[in-house]
Amino acid sequence: MRKSPLFGGFIVALALALLASTALGQQQQQPQQPSSQRPQQQPAPQPPAKRPSVDPATARLTSARNVMVTRARGSQIPYDVISSTLDGWGRFTMVDSQDKADLVVTVATTGGDSGVRVAGSGGPSPLTGRPEHSSSSSVDLSSVEITMTVYDAKTKRVLWTAVDTAKSAMKQTARENNLVEASEKLASKFHDRLEPPPPPKDED
C-alpha cells in the first residue's frame, strides 16, 4: 500500500512539535537565580560633602559669654559708652577679671587733648632792654581717634579691631557728643560682626 504525502507531512510536523516542547521543558527546568543573589550594579561612590569652613575668630567671638572692658589710654568717655553698650546688649556678662573673661575689650583714644597748653618765653625787652618773661596758652582741638580691640582672654589673640574718629569742636559739650557718637559706631560695628543684619529686601 502506498503512503500519501499528506501522511508524511503529518509525521514531520509531529516530530517538530515534540522537539519544541522538549526544548521548552528543559528551559523551564533550569533554576532561576534568586533576585537577591543576582549581582547588582554598585552605584558610583559619591565624593564626601565639603563642610563650610568656619573662621576660628568668628567661632570664638560667637561662643564667648564673659567680657571684660578696659581703658588703655585717653578719654574716659569712649570706655564708658562701649562698656555700657556691651552690658546692655544682653549677649555678654560683664566681668572685672581677665581670669573670668572669654574676651577682653580694650578702648584707647589718641589726639584731641582738650587741655590748655601754656608756653613761656623770655628775653630782653626791645623798649627797656630789661629781661622780660611772656607766656601764651592754646587748646588742642584736633580730632580724636578711638580704637576698639577685642582679643581672646586665654590666648591673647586679636579677634577683632576697628577705629573711628570723633570730629573736633570748639565747645567742650560738642567734643564730648562727638566722642559718644564715634564710640557708639564702634560698638555697633562689633554688634554687626557677631550678629550681621538681615539683607535689605528688594522693593517691587
mmCIF file of all heavy atoms in Angstrom, residues 139-165:
data_model
loop_
_atom_site.group_PDB
_atom_site.id
_atom_site.type_symbol
_atom_site.label_atom_id
_atom_site.label_comp_id
_atom_site.label_asym_id
_atom_site.label_seq_id
_atom_site.Cartn_x
_atom_site.Cartn_y
_atom_site.Cartn_z
ATOM 1 N N VAL A 139 44.671 125.670 73.013
ATOM 2 C CA VAL A 139 43.842 124.488 73.257
ATOM 3 C C VAL A 139 43.946 123.567 72.049
ATOM 4 O O VAL A 139 43.820 124.006 70.908
ATOM 5 C CB VAL A 139 42.371 124.881 73.501
ATOM 6 C CG1 VAL A 139 41.528 123.629 73.731
ATOM 7 C CG2 VAL A 139 42.262 125.835 74.670
ATOM 8 N N ASP A 140 44.205 122.270 72.313
ATOM 9 C CA ASP A 140 44.308 121.288 71.234
ATOM 10 C C ASP A 140 42.896 120.886 70.806
ATOM 11 O O ASP A 140 42.160 120.270 71.570
ATOM 12 C CB ASP A 140 45.085 120.065 71.721
ATOM 13 C CG ASP A 140 45.290 119.046 70.613
ATOM 14 O OD1 ASP A 140 44.933 119.347 69.459
ATOM 15 O OD2 ASP A 140 45.794 117.952 70.908
ATOM 16 N N LEU A 141 42.522 121.230 69.573
ATOM 17 C CA LEU A 141 41.185 120.925 69.047
ATOM 18 C C LEU A 141 41.258 119.900 67.911
ATOM 19 O O LEU A 141 40.376 119.853 67.062
ATOM 20 C CB LEU A 141 40.510 122.207 68.552
ATOM 21 C CG LEU A 141 40.283 123.283 69.606
ATOM 22 C CD1 LEU A 141 39.660 124.521 68.983
ATOM 23 C CD2 LEU A 141 39.409 122.766 70.745
ATOM 24 N N SER A 142 42.291 119.080 67.886
ATOM 25 C CA SER A 142 42.417 118.074 66.829
ATOM 26 C C SER A 142 41.409 116.944 67.049
ATOM 27 O O SER A 142 40.858 116.768 68.137
ATOM 28 C CB SER A 142 43.832 117.514 66.789
ATOM 29 O OG SER A 142 44.158 116.887 68.022
ATOM 30 N N SER A 143 41.171 116.177 65.993
ATOM 31 C CA SER A 143 40.237 115.058 66.068
ATOM 32 C C SER A 143 40.779 113.964 66.994
ATOM 33 O O SER A 143 41.990 113.839 67.193
ATOM 34 C CB SER A 143 39.988 114.476 64.673
ATOM 35 O OG SER A 143 39.458 115.470 63.801
ATOM 36 N N VAL A 144 39.847 113.191 67.539
ATOM 37 C CA VAL A 144 40.205 112.102 68.447
ATOM 38 C C VAL A 144 40.007 110.777 67.716
ATOM 39 O O VAL A 144 38.939 110.519 67.157
ATOM 40 C CB VAL A 144 39.352 112.140 69.727
ATOM 41 C CG1 VAL A 144 39.730 110.975 70.646
ATOM 42 C CG2 VAL A 144 39.523 113.464 70.441
ATOM 43 N N GLU A 145 41.030 109.954 67.723
ATOM 44 C CA GLU A 145 40.947 108.630 67.106
ATOM 45 C C GLU A 145 40.679 107.593 68.195
ATOM 46 O O GLU A 145 41.449 107.466 69.145
ATOM 47 C CB GLU A 145 42.239 108.301 66.361
ATOM 48 C CG GLU A 145 42.164 107.032 65.536
ATOM 49 C CD GLU A 145 43.432 106.773 64.748
ATOM 50 O OE1 GLU A 145 44.388 106.228 65.342
ATOM 51 O OE2 GLU A 145 43.482 107.144 63.563
ATOM 52 N N ILE A 146 39.591 106.848 68.038
ATOM 53 C CA ILE A 146 39.190 105.847 69.027
ATOM 54 C C ILE A 146 39.436 104.461 68.447
ATOM 55 O O ILE A 146 38.994 104.161 67.332
ATOM 56 C CB ILE A 146 37.708 106.003 69.409
ATOM 57 C CG1 ILE A 146 37.406 107.445 69.819
ATOM 58 C CG2 ILE A 146 37.330 105.032 70.529
ATOM 59 C CD1 ILE A 146 35.932 107.723 69.997
ATOM 60 N N THR A 147 40.130 103.640 69.190
ATOM 61 C CA THR A 147 40.425 102.269 68.757
ATOM 62 C C THR A 147 39.795 101.286 69.730
ATOM 63 O O THR A 147 40.000 101.372 70.939
ATOM 64 C CB THR A 147 41.939 102.015 68.692
ATOM 65 O OG1 THR A 147 42.546 102.977 67.815
ATOM 66 C CG2 THR A 147 42.233 100.619 68.160
ATOM 67 N N MET A 148 39.025 100.354 69.172
ATOM 68 C CA MET A 148 38.411 99.290 69.965
ATOM 69 C C MET A 148 38.999 97.959 69.513
ATOM 70 O O MET A 148 38.926 97.604 68.334
ATOM 71 C CB MET A 148 36.883 99.291 69.778
ATOM 72 C CG MET A 148 36.150 98.189 70.525
ATOM 73 S SD MET A 148 34.351 98.298 70.245
ATOM 74 C CE MET A 148 33.795 96.811 71.073
ATOM 75 N N THR A 149 39.610 97.241 70.441
ATOM 76 C CA THR A 149 40.258 95.969 70.119
ATOM 77 C C THR A 149 39.688 94.872 70.995
ATOM 78 O O THR A 149 39.569 95.036 72.218
ATOM 79 C CB THR A 149 41.783 96.062 70.329
ATOM 80 O OG1 THR A 149 42.306 97.160 69.564
ATOM 81 C CG2 THR A 149 42.465 94.771 69.899
ATOM 82 N N VAL A 150 39.341 93.743 70.377
ATOM 83 C CA VAL A 150 38.796 92.584 71.093
ATOM 84 C C VAL A 150 39.765 91.422 70.903
ATOM 85 O O VAL A 150 40.111 91.080 69.770
ATOM 86 C CB VAL A 150 37.402 92.203 70.564
ATOM 87 C CG1 VAL A 150 36.834 91.023 71.350
ATOM 88 C CG2 VAL A 150 36.467 93.402 70.619
ATOM 89 N N TYR A 151 40.214 90.844 72.000
ATOM 90 C CA TYR A 151 41.106 89.704 71.884
ATOM 91 C C TYR A 151 40.709 88.595 72.857
ATOM 92 O O TYR A 151 39.986 88.822 73.834
ATOM 93 C CB TYR A 151 42.576 90.109 72.071
ATOM 94 C CG TYR A 151 42.946 90.668 73.425
ATOM 95 C CD1 TYR A 151 43.369 89.837 74.452
ATOM 96 C CD2 TYR A 151 42.904 92.039 73.668
ATOM 97 C CE1 TYR A 151 43.739 90.354 75.687
ATOM 98 C CE2 TYR A 151 43.261 92.556 74.898
ATOM 99 C CZ TYR A 151 43.676 91.717 75.901
ATOM 100 O OH TYR A 151 44.033 92.227 77.132
ATOM 101 N N ASP A 152 41.196 87.413 72.557
ATOM 102 C CA ASP A 152 40.896 86.235 73.371
ATOM 103 C C ASP A 152 41.609 86.357 74.713
ATOM 104 O O ASP A 152 42.819 86.565 74.769
ATOM 105 C CB ASP A 152 41.375 84.978 72.628
ATOM 106 C CG ASP A 152 40.852 83.689 73.256
ATOM 107 O OD1 ASP A 152 40.864 83.583 74.494
ATOM 108 O OD2 ASP A 152 40.444 82.797 72.496
ATOM 109 N N ALA A 153 40.841 86.225 75.781
ATOM 110 C CA ALA A 153 41.421 86.384 77.116
ATOM 111 C C ALA A 153 42.407 85.277 77.449
ATOM 112 O O ALA A 153 43.322 85.483 78.251
ATOM 113 C CB ALA A 153 40.303 86.410 78.165
ATOM 114 N N LYS A 154 42.264 84.120 76.821
ATOM 115 C CA LYS A 154 43.147 82.993 77.137
ATOM 116 C C LYS A 154 44.398 82.987 76.269
ATOM 117 O O LYS A 154 45.507 82.805 76.760
ATOM 118 C CB LYS A 154 42.383 81.676 76.960
ATOM 119 C CG LYS A 154 41.102 81.581 77.790
ATOM 120 C CD LYS A 154 41.376 81.655 79.272
ATOM 121 C CE LYS A 154 40.121 81.429 80.086
ATOM 122 N NZ LYS A 154 39.108 82.491 79.935
ATOM 123 N N THR A 155 44.228 83.174 74.962
ATOM 124 C CA THR A 155 45.361 83.074 74.031
ATOM 125 C C THR A 155 45.970 84.431 73.693
ATOM 126 O O THR A 155 47.020 84.477 73.052
ATOM 127 C CB THR A 155 44.920 82.397 72.732
ATOM 128 O OG1 THR A 155 43.950 83.229 72.060
ATOM 129 C CG2 THR A 155 44.293 81.034 73.018
ATOM 130 N N LYS A 156 45.316 85.530 74.078
ATOM 131 C CA LYS A 156 45.757 86.900 73.778
ATOM 132 C C LYS A 156 45.736 87.203 72.275
ATOM 133 O O LYS A 156 46.300 88.195 71.824
ATOM 134 C CB LYS A 156 47.172 87.155 74.327
ATOM 135 C CG LYS A 156 47.341 86.801 75.791
ATOM 136 C CD LYS A 156 46.422 87.607 76.671
ATOM 137 C CE LYS A 156 46.709 87.385 78.145
ATOM 138 N NZ LYS A 156 46.435 86.004 78.578
ATOM 139 N N ARG A 157 45.074 86.374 71.501
ATOM 140 C CA ARG A 157 44.986 86.595 70.063
ATOM 141 C C ARG A 157 43.941 87.659 69.754
ATOM 142 O O ARG A 157 42.840 87.633 70.294
ATOM 143 C CB ARG A 157 44.615 85.292 69.349
ATOM 144 C CG ARG A 157 44.444 85.451 67.844
ATOM 145 C CD ARG A 157 43.841 84.208 67.227
ATOM 146 N NE ARG A 157 43.566 84.393 65.815
ATOM 147 C CZ ARG A 157 42.844 83.562 65.073
ATOM 148 N NH1 ARG A 157 42.345 82.469 65.617
ATOM 149 N NH2 ARG A 157 42.637 83.815 63.800
ATOM 150 N N VAL A 158 44.300 88.616 68.885
ATOM 151 C CA VAL A 158 43.359 89.656 68.479
ATOM 152 C C VAL A 158 42.307 89.045 67.565
ATOM 153 O O VAL A 158 42.629 88.439 66.533
ATOM 154 C CB VAL A 158 44.086 90.819 67.775
ATOM 155 C CG1 VAL A 158 43.071 91.836 67.254
ATOM 156 C CG2 VAL A 158 45.068 91.482 68.726
ATOM 157 N N LEU A 159 41.043 89.190 67.931
ATOM 158 C CA LEU A 159 39.941 88.623 67.168
ATOM 159 C C LEU A 159 39.218 89.657 66.323
ATOM 160 O O LEU A 159 38.618 89.305 65.306
ATOM 161 C CB LEU A 159 38.943 87.949 68.120
ATOM 162 C CG LEU A 159 39.510 86.873 69.047
ATOM 163 C CD1 LEU A 159 38.428 86.385 70.002
ATOM 164 C CD2 LEU A 159 40.074 85.712 68.242
ATOM 165 N N TRP A 160 39.267 90.922 66.746
ATOM 166 C CA TRP A 160 38.556 91.970 66.008
ATOM 167 C C TRP A 160 39.084 93.315 66.475
ATOM 168 O O TRP A 160 39.386 93.507 67.651
ATOM 169 C CB TRP A 160 37.053 91.880 66.273
ATOM 170 C CG TRP A 160 36.216 92.846 65.501
ATOM 171 C CD1 TRP A 160 35.721 92.677 64.237
ATOM 172 C CD2 TRP A 160 35.753 94.137 65.936
ATOM 173 N NE1 TRP A 160 34.986 93.780 63.868
ATOM 174 C CE2 TRP A 160 34.988 94.689 64.886
ATOM 175 C CE3 TRP A 160 35.923 94.873 67.108
ATOM 176 C CZ2 TRP A 160 34.386 95.938 64.979
ATOM 177 C CZ3 TRP A 160 35.329 96.119 67.193
ATOM 178 C CH2 TRP A 160 34.572 96.649 66.144
ATOM 179 N N THR A 161 39.192 94.259 65.541
ATOM 180 C CA THR A 161 39.602 95.615 65.891
ATOM 181 C C THR A 161 39.005 96.594 64.894
ATOM 182 O O THR A 161 38.775 96.241 63.723
ATOM 183 C CB THR A 161 41.140 95.739 65.915
ATOM 184 O OG1 THR A 161 41.510 97.042 66.377
ATOM 185 C CG2 THR A 161 41.721 95.510 64.533
ATOM 186 N N ALA A 162 38.727 97.790 65.353
ATOM 187 C CA ALA A 162 38.152 98.822 64.494
ATOM 188 C C ALA A 162 38.537 100.188 65.048
ATOM 189 O O ALA A 162 38.813 100.347 66.245
ATOM 190 C CB ALA A 162 36.631 98.694 64.405
ATOM 191 N N VAL A 163 38.547 101.174 64.155
ATOM 192 C CA VAL A 163 38.933 102.542 64.516
ATOM 193 C C VAL A 163 37.881 103.507 63.984
ATOM 194 O O VAL A 163 37.373 103.328 62.871
ATOM 195 C CB VAL A 163 40.313 102.900 63.932
ATOM 196 C CG1 VAL A 163 40.699 104.327 64.299
ATOM 197 C CG2 VAL A 163 41.383 101.917 64.412
ATOM 198 N N ASP A 164 37.549 104.510 64.789
ATOM 199 C CA ASP A 164 36.651 105.578 64.347
ATOM 200 C C ASP A 164 37.198 106.906 64.866
ATOM 201 O O ASP A 164 37.940 106.924 65.848
ATOM 202 C CB ASP A 164 35.221 105.360 64.851
ATOM 203 C CG ASP A 164 34.188 105.995 63.918
ATOM 204 O OD1 ASP A 164 34.322 107.208 63.643
ATOM 205 O OD2 ASP A 164 33.275 105.285 63.465
ATOM 206 N N THR A 165 36.828 107.972 64.191
ATOM 207 C CA THR A 165 37.354 109.292 64.523
ATOM 208 C C THR A 165 36.232 110.203 64.979
ATOM 209 O O THR A 165 35.204 110.324 64.299
ATOM 210 C CB THR A 165 38.070 109.913 63.311
ATOM 211 O OG1 THR A 165 39.120 109.046 62.887
ATOM 212 C CG2 THR A 165 38.661 111.265 63.662
#
